[in-house]
């Protein structure tokens, strides 16, 4: 799986933290149908591995596992069907995913952490929480490190997503502003509308 090319093509990773595996799967199916095929199911979701296995069977879904901290997390997620892994920080999950041959978005906040994440085998750097510094901080990081593929996550709404992409993010990871309460039983119709708007970023920043 060429995760970096997929990030550049789709521009958005939908982040699901659901109340149940059924709710997570329902939200994921809507995201895929609305044009957001890159989906991360956080392992904090009850039954997350079950949801990952189910979404791995959905045509067009590029399913990943988030909040991967330990080597065990990485192994379990890949066994469940995750095609990429996402860590919240510099965790053993980065090297574990790399050793399993699975691309990883390695979590980092500083320049040193970003370089460490890549050295440990990350395909791209999840800038988290991006809301701490905003697009200006990402721009400052990219000035000395234009080759580092950054994916800002945390507090990214549609307008802020555009700002990050304008200053060079390869993609953005979006949880609450995209999924809302849909993964907890909220409106799937509203989710479809939000997802369609975020999916439009792919054409806007092609």
């Amino acid at each position: 799986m060429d995760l970096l090319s997929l990030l550049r093509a789709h521009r958005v990773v939908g982040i699901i933290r659901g109340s149940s595996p059924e709710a997570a799967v329902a939200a994921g199916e809507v995201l895929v149908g609305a044009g957001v095929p890159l989906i991360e199911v956080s392992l904090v979701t009850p039954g997350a591995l079950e949801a990952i296995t189910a979404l791995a069977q959905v045509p067009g879904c590029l399913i990943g596992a988030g909040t991967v901290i330990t080597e065990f997390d990485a192994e379990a997620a890949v066994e469940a069907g995750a095609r990429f892994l996402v860590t919240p920080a510099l965790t053993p999950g980065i090297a574990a995913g790399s050793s399993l041959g699975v691309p990883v978005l390695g979590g980092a906040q500083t320049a040193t952490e970003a370089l460490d994440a890549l050295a440990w085998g990350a395909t791209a750097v999840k800038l988290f929480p991006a809301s701490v510094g905003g697009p200006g901080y990402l721009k400052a990081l990219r000035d000395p490190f234009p080759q580092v593929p950054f994916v800002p996550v945390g507090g990214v709404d549609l307008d802020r997503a555009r700002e990050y992409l304008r200053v060079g993010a390869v993609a953005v990871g979006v949880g609450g502003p995209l999924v809302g309460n849909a993964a907890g039983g909220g409106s799937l119709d509203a989710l479809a509308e939000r997802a369609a708007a975020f999916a439009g970023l792919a054409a806007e920043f092609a």
Side-chain angles (χ1 to χ4, degrees):
M1 178 180 182
D2 186 351
L3 180 61
L4 199 52
S5 292
L6 290 167
L7 290 169
R8 290 189 172 116
H10 296 290
R11 298 296 191 180
V12 177
V13 178
I15 302 170
I16 296 175
R17 297 180 185 88
S19 60
S20 69
E22 295 80 12
V25 170
E29 290 174 337
V30 170
L31 288 176
V32 174
V36 180
L38 280 166
I39 298 171
E40 165 196 339
V41 173
S42 171
L43 293 183
V44 302
T45 297
L49 297 177
E50 180 184 338
I52 289 168
T53 298
L55 286 169
Q57 308 306 313
V58 174
C61 184
L62 302 166
I63 187 64
T67 323
V68 174
I69 296 174
T70 67
E71 183 177 344
F72 174 80
D73 289 339
E75 292 172 349
V78 171
E79 184 177 353
R83 299 181 63 189
F84 66 95
L85 306 177
V86 185
T87 74
L90 292 175
T91 76
I94 298 175
S98 180
S99 69
L100 291 167
V102 177
V104 181
L105 290 180
Q109 173 58 221
T110 68
T112 299
E113 290 175 352
L115 294 182
D116 283 346
L118 294 177
W120 292 6
T123 298
V125 175
K126 169 186 171 179
L127 185 61
F128 178 78
S131 56
V132 171
Y137 181 61
L138 173 59
K139 184 179 185 303
L141 284 174
R142 291 198 72 253
D143 285 343
F145 304 121
Q147 77 283 7
V148 176
F150 285 103
V151 180
V153 178
V156 182
D157 61 15
L158 187 58
D159 289 337
R160 186 52 61 95
R162 290 190 176 97
E163 293 178 39
Y164 282 121
L165 292 170
R166 286 190 190 108
V167 297
V170 295
V172 293
V174 190
L178 168 59
V179 180
N181 65 352
S187 172
L188 295 178
D189 289 337
L191 171 59
E193 292 181 9
R194 293 190 298 270
F198 274 96
L201 294 172
E204 191 173 339
F205 290 89

